[in-house]
Amino acid sequence: MATTITPATNTASFRSTVFTPQNHLFNCHINRRRRLVAAKGNSGDGDNGGSDSSSKTQPPSISLDDVNPVGLGRKSRQIFDEVWRKFSGLGQISRTSRTDESESLDALLIREGPMCEFAIPGAANTTVLVVGATSRIGRILIRKLMLRGYTVKALVRKADQEVVGMLPRSVEIVVGDVGDQSTLRTAVEGCNKIIYCATARSTVTADLNRVDYQGVYNLSKAFQDYNNRLAQLRAGKSSKSKLLLAKFKNADSLEGWEVRQGTYFQDVLATKYEAGMDAKFEYTDNGEAVFSGYVFTRGGYVELSKKLQLSLGSTLDRYEGLVFSVGGNGRSYAVILEAGPSADTTQSKLYFARISTKVGFCRVRVPFSSFRPVKPEDPPLDPFLVHTLTIRFEPRRQRTLDGPAGAKQDLRNFKLIFEYIKALPTGQETDFVLVSCTGLGVEPTRREQVLKAKRAGEDSLRRSGLGYTIIRPGPLKEEPGGQRALIFDQGNRITQGISCADVADICVKTLHDSTARNKSFDVCYEYVADQGKELYELVAHLPDKANNYLTPALSVLEKNT
C-alpha cells in the first residue's frame, strides 16, 4: 500500500492599519510630544540659567513624516529586511576566509544557534557520516543535519579547494574512496549513523559497480567492523552486539549438529527415493565447516539441525532475527525454527522462512517477523520459546542461476559452508540510510545496467546486519522542498519526480524513526493515478519541520525480509 502526504496550505496575510492626522488619539500624541520637546528646550543647566533667549537650545523641527505611523512602519521594515538578510545569510553555511568570524559563526549557528527550533533530541550526541556530500542531495542534506544539531563528517575522494569550498567549515572532511575498503576505517571512526547518497558519475559498468554496489558493501562492512570493535571493548555489552549462536572454527564446533533426510512422498516408494540421498556435515582440511550432498529426487530433502543452548540470561525475544555468514554454490534453503516449552517438546510448533545464498561467501539476514507457521492455525512465532534450529535443502525449490550460456546445472546437489550464526539485536533506529533510485529519468539504454548495480548495493546492505533504510526517489528536481504532497510506495509504481530538498529531509527524518528501520520504499510527488489504479491513501498533512509526516507514511509499508 502506498501513502500520500498532503501539505496543508500555509496562508500568511499581512494587514497594516493606517492612522490619519484626523484621528483624535494621533493628535493627542503629537501635542504631547511637542510639549515634551518644548519643556526639554526651555530647561537649562545651572550655569546657563541666566542666558538670554538667543542662547537657548532651539527645539528640533518635527514633520508629520517623522511620526507618521506609515513612515515609521516603512523604516522599521527596512531595518527588519536588513536584519533578515544577515540572519538568512547564516543559513548559507559556507566556508569563509575570515578566521575571526568563523569560530563565532559556528558557535552561534550550530551549538547555540538561532535555529534552535530545528533541533532534534539526540542530535547533539549523534555523528553522521555523509557519503556523496558534494552531490545535489548531499549538499542540502549536510546543511539540514547541521541546522538540527548533528555532528557531520563528509567522505570525499579529494580535498581540493573546490570541494572544500562547497562544504560548511564545521564539517569534518575525511578523504577516502568507497571502492577501497582500507580507506574507510578512518571515515567510520566515531560515527553513529551513515547516509549514503553517492552515485556513479557515469554509466560505465566499472563505475557503477565501484560506487553503487562495491561502495555500499565496503562501507557497511567497515561500519559493522567498527561496531564489533566497540562491542569487544565494552565486553559485549553494546546495544549493537550480536548473540553468537554458533561459530564454526574447529571440528569440535560441529558437535550437536545432526544430519537428517526425508521425503514428501507418503507411499511405499518413499524408501526408494530416500536411498538416492546423500548428505554430510564435516570440518575439512581447509578449515571449513561444510554441509553438502546430493538429493536424487525433487521430492526429497536433507536438513541440518541442532538444539540451541543459550547462555544463562540470554533469550531470543531480545533480538529481531538471525544472520548467517555462509558460502557455497548459491542454493536456496528453508530455515526452520521449533518453538515451544522445552520441558515438553510434543507441544512445539514449527515455523519456516526461506533464504537465498550466492556463489561464494555472503551474509544472510532472516528477521523473526518473516517466519511463518507450518500449520496456518498455529500462533505467530514467539522467539522466547525457540529451542531448535534447522536448515533444510529441497531440490524442488531451486532456481537456475546465471551461468555460461548452454551450461546445464544439476539443481539436486548443494554445498553450504558455515562461518557463524548470530542473533541480531533489536534496534529502534536506522544505522545506514541508502539513497538508491527507481530507474525513472535514466537513459533507457542504460537503465537496466544502472538498476542492476543499484539493486546489488541494496542487497548487500540488507545482508550486512545493520539497521537500514533504502530510499528510492523518482527523478530529482532542482526546486524548493516542502511545497508538494509526497507519495510513499512499494512496488515500482511511482511515475513522478521529487525535489532534492525533499529527499534530503526524508533522509534526516529516517535517522530516529523506528518505522523506517529495515524498510525500502519509493517516494515521489503526488500524482493523479489512472482510473482503477488508485493504490495510495491520504494519511497525513503538513510535511514540514513542525510535523512528523514520515511515521504515518511508512507505518503501513512492509519491512523487508
Side-chain angles (χ1 to χ4, degrees):
M1 180 180 292
T3 59
T4 179
I5 309 304
T6 304
T9 302
N10 296 322
T11 303
S13 61
F14 297 93
R15 299 178 181 177
S16 59
T17 303
V18 179
F19 291 89
T20 62
Q22 287 75 21
N23 185 291
H24 175 69
L25 294 178
F26 177 77
N27 291 332
C28 293
H29 171 73
I30 296 296
N31 294 332
R32 183 168 176 242
R33 177 159 184 172
R34 286 173 175 169
R35 288 196 298 268
L36 290 174
V37 172
K40 183 177 180 181
N42 293 329
S43 61
D45 55 25
D47 294 336
N48 297 328
S51 58
D52 56 22
S53 60
S54 61
S55 62
K56 293 181 179 179
T57 303
Q58 296 296 326
S61 61
I62 300 175
S63 66
L64 287 179
D65 291 336
D66 295 323
V67 294
N68 186 345
V70 178
L72 291 175
R74 186 177 296 112
K75 291 182 179 179
S76 63
R77 181 65 183 179
Q78 292 173 350
I79 296 174
F80 176 79
D81 288 343
E82 179 64 17
V83 172
W84 179 252
R85 185 187 64 79
K86 295 180 179 180
F87 176 73
S88 59
L90 295 177
Q92 306 299 324
I93 322 173
S94 57
R95 293 178 174 263
T96 175
S97 59
R98 295 185 58 181
T99 57
D100 57 334
E101 293 182 358
S102 59
E103 296 299 329
S104 59
L105 175 61
D106 287 343
L108 177 66
L109 179 62
I110 307 305
R111 294 173 174 80
E112 301 174 4
M115 299 295 189
C116 57
E117 59 181 306
F118 289 90
I120 295 177
N125 300 318
T126 303
T127 299
V128 182
L129 174 65
V130 177
V131 184
T134 58
S135 66
R136 290 190 292 170
I137 294 175
R139 283 176 286 178
I140 302 172
L141 173 63
I142 282 184
R143 285 158 174 78
K144 284 183 175 289
L145 289 170
M146 297 184 69
L147 288 174
R148 285 155 179 79
Y150 291 95
T151 301
V152 181
K153 296 177 70 175
L155 179 66
V156 299
R157 294 187 67 184
K158 296 179 181 179
D160 54 28
Q161 188 59 40
E162 181 181 359
V163 172
V164 171
M166 296 172 64
L167 300 175
R169 66 171 314 281
S170 293
V171 172
E172 180 183 349
I173 296 178
V174 183
V175 178
D177 185 354
V178 294
D180 185 359
Q181 190 171 5
S182 62
T183 66
L184 302 178
R185 296 172 185 171
T186 303
V188 301
E189 222 38 68
C191 293
N192 307 104
K193 298 176 184 292
I194 294 175
I195 301 179
Y196 194 104
C197 53
T199 186
R201 296 183 177 181
S202 71
T203 55
V204 176
T205 302
D207 287 343
L208 290 171
N209 287 332
R210 186 183 67 83
V211 178
D212 295 330
Y213 166 49
Q214 198 64 40
V216 177
Y217 173 82
N218 289 341
L219 197 62
S220 60
K221 186 178 187 306
F223 194 40
Q224 190 70 285
D225 291 343
Y226 171 69
N227 288 331
N228 289 339
R229 292 198 302 272
L230 289 182
Q232 293 173 1
L233 294 175
R234 297 166 182 167
K237 299 185 182 298
S238 169
S239 61
K240 298 182 182 296
S241 299
K242 302 181 188 68
L243 176 65
L244 183 64
L245 300 179
K247 188 170 184 178
F248 303 91
K249 56 184 179 180
N250 50 47
D252 294 338
S253 59
L254 275 58
E255 186 176 345
W257 289 92
E258 180 184 356
V259 177
R260 299 187 296 229
Q261 61 185 33
T263 180
Y264 292 104
F265 294 106
Q266 301 298 326
D267 53 31
V268 294
L269 298 177
T271 54
K272 174 183 176 181
Y273 288 112
E274 288 178 358
M277 288 180 279
D278 179 30
K280 58 185 177 181
F281 188 39
E282 60 182 356
Y283 196 79
T284 66
D285 295 337
N286 296 329
E288 296 176 336
V290 182
F291 176 43
S292 61
Y294 186 89
V295 181
F296 177 77
T297 173
R298 292 178 63 83
Y301 63 84
V302 292
E303 58 187 25
L304 184 65
S305 181
K306 181 182 182 181
K307 188 174 181 64
L308 299 178
Q309 296 179 345
L310 303 180
S311 57
L312 185 63
S314 297
T315 55
L316 291 181
D317 60 317
R318 297 168 50 192
Y319 297 83
E320 69 174 19
L322 304 175
V323 59
F324 298 81
S325 180
V326 293
N329 58 350
R331 299 289 184 249
S332 62
Y333 301 84
V335 179
I336 303 173
L337 297 179
E338 189 173 346
S342 57
D344 184 10
T345 56
T346 60
Q347 303 296 320
S348 295
K349 314 292 184 184
L350 295 178
Y351 301 84
F352 73 96
R354 303 196 183 279
I355 63 172
S356 297
T357 64
K358 293 185 175 183
V359 176
F361 272 88
C362 64
R363 281 172 289 186
V364 183
R365 177 187 189 135
V366 195
F368 287 134
S369 60
S370 67
F371 283 87
R372 301 289 181 263
V374 173
K375 296 181 179 180
E377 64 272 15
D378 288 342
L381 173 66
D382 181 358
F384 179 80
L385 299 176
V386 173
H387 57 75
T388 303
L389 169 65
T390 300
I391 300 171
R392 176 179 292 183
F393 171 75
E394 307 165 287
R396 64 175 185 161
R397 294 286 182 178
Q398 305 307 310
R399 294 182 179 180
T400 303
L401 300 175
D402 294 335
K408 186 177 181 181
Q409 299 182 22
D410 189 347
L411 301 180
R412 295 173 292 182
N413 67 69
F414 70 96
K415 179 180 181 181
L416 191 62
I417 306 172
F418 287 92
E419 184 180 5
Y420 63 74
I421 304 174
K422 296 181 180 180
L424 296 168
T426 299
Q428 299 300 321
E429 296 182 352
T430 290
D431 302 313
F432 196 118
V433 179
L434 173 62
V435 179
S436 186
C437 78
T438 62
L440 296 175
V442 180
E443 184 181 350
T445 57
R446 309 295 294 175
R447 183 176 300 163
E448 184 177 352
Q449 193 169 356
V450 171
L451 287 179
K452 183 177 180 180
K454 292 284 188 182
R455 298 299 182 259
E458 293 177 12
D459 191 48
S460 68
L461 178 58
R462 292 191 190 96
R463 297 172 183 271
S464 68
L466 296 169
Y468 64 87
T469 300
I470 298 174
I471 304 169
R472 302 191 193 105
L476 299 176
K477 297 178 177 293
E478 300 289 348
E479 59 183 65
Q483 306 297 312
R484 299 174 59 182
L486 303 177
I487 291 175
F488 295 82
D489 195 8
Q490 290 175 324
N492 298 322
R493 293 186 294 242
I494 70 171
T495 61
Q496 300 298 307
I498 185 173
S499 165
C500 295
D502 280 322
V503 176
D505 192 62
I506 293 169
C507 290
V508 174
K509 281 183 165 55
T510 60
L511 294 178
H512 301 291
D513 195 324
S514 59
T515 61
R517 181 179 169 92
N518 298 342
K519 284 186 178 177
S520 304
F521 57 86
D522 307 334
V523 61
C524 72
Y525 282 142
E526 182 183 19
Y527 60 93
V528 178
D530 295 335
Q531 188 174 4
K533 297 183 179 181
E534 298 83 356
L535 300 175
Y536 60 89
E537 62 184 20
L538 189 67
V539 296
H541 297 273
L542 287 174
D544 61 9
K545 64 181 177 58
N547 184 60
N548 182 11
Y549 63 87
L550 195 64
T551 299
L554 299 185
S555 59
V556 297
L557 302 183
E558 295 182 359
K559 283 195 173 184
N560 298 116
T561 59

